[in-house]
Amino acid sequence: MKRIKMGCTTLSIPAMALGIMRMNQKSVPEAQVAIQAAYDAGINFIDSADIYGDGKSEEIFGQAFKQMQLKRENLFIQSKTGIVPGKRYDFSKEHILHSVDEILERMQLDYLDSLVLHRPDALMDPEEVAEAFDQLQAAGKVRFFGVSNFDTVQFKLLQSCLSQRLMFNQLQFSLKHTGMIDFGMHMNMLDEPSVDRDSQFLDYARLHKVTVQAWSPFQYGMFEGTFIDNDGFPKLNQELQKLADEYEVGKNAIAAAWILRHPANIQMLVGSMNPQHIKDSAKGAKIQLTRQEWYDLYLAAGNYLP
């Protein structure tokens, strides 16, 4: 598994992480198989969130991991908090502290390697967040911190009040969600791809050594479904299959390789619980697409160059 530097540190993390959003749909033995498949492929980074399966995903993970032979120190375990489903976003100190305690209990852990704030809270008080982070770190409950779906100004605002460096920003990025790179190639134009919806965060991350974590790497829309083997995207699947045949892997591996080919050292979140899909996706970390192959996929996904 390809390894990348985590944020501004010298610590090494895998270029892929296993997202456990769908683990609530699995039995404990099935969850163990998924975790082991990822670990055997070099994916020892786990990404969760307190809202996944209303907490059930973390409960299943906790039960599965406890029964496995894996050592805690050999896994990097991350969770997210801040969404109160259907009601509000909540970055209050009280909510953050309470959520972490509940996460640790569900996952049967003493500490999280990383805590990520899940989507921006319009009522965020950066100084209050800073107090929560300091308290969690001092108590040994969280080692590192990050955010999810923050734009550049939101990220800088929070960072200005923290004593810790933010390591991560989780952002949607895939062959069917390319806004973070479209606008740069359509600079100074009036067409739809020229609109910057992400406040140039990918370039900011490269300048300031922030690890971008790409979520939904095989999805189109937000949660509409996967573009892999989807009849609605014939040209893209034709190109994926062509390269998959050449590299002797599956389509997931090629779609993953496309994300990891970007020089920003992106970490990709694999959300599948299918051991075969996990193994195939992991193969993408070993593939270095040529520039032409990368652009051929970009164009096959329905994008165009000015």
Side-chain angles (χ1 to χ4, degrees):
M1 171 56 60
K2 174 184 176 182
R3 308 284 294 187
I4 61 175
K5 291 288 190 296
M6 183 182 76
C8 61
T9 74
T10 59
L11 296 177
S12 168
I13 57 174
M16 293 186 186
L18 178 67
I20 65 168
M21 182 173 72
R22 298 175 179 86
M23 192 165 279
N24 65 303
Q25 302 169 13
K26 301 296 180 181
S27 67
V28 170
E30 289 172 332
Q32 290 175 325
V33 172
I35 296 167
Q36 191 67 55
Y39 189 83
D40 291 344
I43 303 174
N44 65 335
F45 193 116
I46 304 296
D47 175 71
S48 182
D50 56 4
I51 65 166
Y52 290 168
D54 292 326
K56 186 68 175 179
S57 291
E58 294 188 333
E59 290 180 7
I60 295 295
F61 173 85
Q63 295 170 30
F65 180 60
K66 186 176 182 180
Q67 298 174 23
M68 298 178 73
Q69 300 302 312
L70 300 178
K71 295 181 179 179
R72 172 65 183 91
E73 60 269 25
N74 291 339
L75 285 185
F76 191 107
I77 301 177
Q78 168 178 283
S79 189
K80 299 182 289 291
T81 190
I83 298 179
V84 181
K87 296 182 178 180
R88 64 183 186 278
Y89 298 141
D90 195 339
F91 288 177
S92 67
K93 178 181 176 180
E94 179 184 14
H95 181 78
I96 293 172
L97 296 178
H98 180 66
S99 294
V100 169
D101 286 339
E102 290 189 328
I103 290 168
L104 294 175
E105 182 178 355
R106 284 193 297 269
M107 300 185 86
Q108 303 188 46
L109 302 173
D110 295 324
Y111 68 94
L112 290 173
D113 290 288
S114 177
L115 177 70
V116 167
L117 298 181
H118 206 172
R119 291 202 168 274
D121 175 11
L123 301 180
M124 177 182 73
D125 179 347
E127 294 181 349
E128 186 176 3
V129 174
E131 291 178 7
F133 283 8
D134 285 345
Q135 188 168 326
L136 288 169
Q137 194 170 63
K141 294 180 180 181
V142 180
R143 298 174 63 204
F144 302 102
F145 300 90
V147 296
S148 177
N149 304 296
F150 271 45
D151 68 22
T152 302
V153 175
Q154 291 167 333
F155 189 95
K156 291 167 70 174
L157 173 62
L158 178 57
Q159 183 64 81
S160 70
C161 293
L162 299 178
S163 55
Q164 306 87 3
R165 282 285 295 271
L166 292 169
M167 295 292 151
F168 308 105
N169 190 5
Q170 283 194 15
L171 299 166
Q172 188 175 7
F173 185 58
S174 73
L175 274 163
K176 290 302 297 179
H177 196 98
T178 56
M180 285 199 297
I181 57 175
D182 293 341
F183 80 93
M185 290 184 281
H186 289 254
M187 167 66 182
N188 200 35
M189 298 186 68
L190 300 177
D191 55 0
E192 179 67 16
S194 69
V195 179
D196 175 16
R197 295 180 172 84
D198 305 285
S199 65
Q200 303 181 47
F201 191 87
L202 193 57
D203 292 333
Y204 175 87
R206 297 177 70 181
L207 283 169
H208 296 276
K209 300 187 185 313
V210 179
T211 298
V212 170
Q213 297 177 319
W215 57 272
S216 289
F218 309 125
Q219 302 286 313
Y220 68 95
M222 191 168 182
F223 295 116
E224 280 82 347
T226 178
F227 56 79
I228 303 289
D229 293 327
N230 188 319
D231 292 339
F233 309 100
K235 189 173 182 181
L236 175 56
N237 276 281
Q238 181 180 356
E239 191 65 28
L240 285 168
Q241 189 62 63
K242 171 189 169 185
L243 291 171
D245 292 341
E246 290 179 8
Y247 284 98
E248 299 182 337
V249 295
K251 292 180 182 178
N252 287 63
I254 299 301
W258 185 86
I259 293 173
L260 300 183
R261 179 62 175 82
H262 193 281
N265 282 325
I266 295 170
Q267 184 185 48
M268 194 191 85
L269 306 181
V270 182
S272 176
M273 292 289 99
N274 183 315
Q276 293 306 315
H277 288 172
I278 294 170
K279 293 175 184 177
D280 183 53
S281 298
K283 293 177 182 178
K286 299 179 180 179
I287 296 172
Q288 177 79 354
L289 296 174
T290 68
R291 286 177 175 268
Q292 192 58 60
E293 289 169 342
W294 189 90
Y295 274 101
D296 285 346
L297 284 166
Y298 178 75
L299 295 172
N303 299 298
Y304 62 93
L305 300 176

